Amino acid sequence: ELQEGKCKEYILDNIEVWGVDKLDESSVNIKFRVKTKTMFQWKVRRELNRIVKKKFDEHNIEIPFPQRVIHTAKLN
């Protein structure tokens, strides 16, 4: 989708998707490599993030957020 969308003119080569790199309590890190024209890497990155978020939403995948459970005890 990225190579066919509004950023296709800035992408120089095929996108490499290396897969899930890390699972944390509040994130899922997916590694990609996208070769872009100089100074357009941030525009392409934002568009790639938008597409990933859209796909997550389509498949009901929620982005995790940090949670803490605190137990308290009553001291006499």
Side-chain angles (χ1 to χ4, degrees):
E1 191 171 324
L2 182 64
Q3 288 173 301
E4 299 166 359
K6 59 185 175 182
C7 286
K8 68 180 176 182
E9 64 196 84
Y10 309 124
I11 298 171
L12 301 176
D13 202 354
N14 290 331
I15 298 170
E16 295 178 34
V17 181
W18 295 342
V20 175
D21 185 58
K22 187 175 181 183
L23 296 171
D24 275 337
E25 66 180 24
S26 63
S27 68
V28 176
N29 298 331
I30 303 169
K31 280 216 175 176
F32 297 86
R33 181 163 70 179
V34 182
K35 294 181 184 178
T36 68
K37 291 182 180 179
T38 304
M39 301 303 294
F40 288 98
Q41 65 269 28
W42 308 118
K43 182 179 181 86
V44 172
R45 181 180 182 166
R46 284 190 301 275
E47 181 63 10
L48 179 59
N49 286 339
R50 187 192 68 76
I51 291 168
V52 168
K53 174 67 170 114
K54 178 181 157 193
K55 294 296 182 181
F56 274 26
D57 290 347
E58 287 174 6
H59 291 89
N60 297 314
I61 300 170
E62 294 183 16
I63 297 173
F65 58 93
Q67 298 180 21
R68 299 283 185 251
V69 176
I70 300 172
H71 300 276
T72 60
K74 184 176 178 182
L75 301 175
N76 290 335

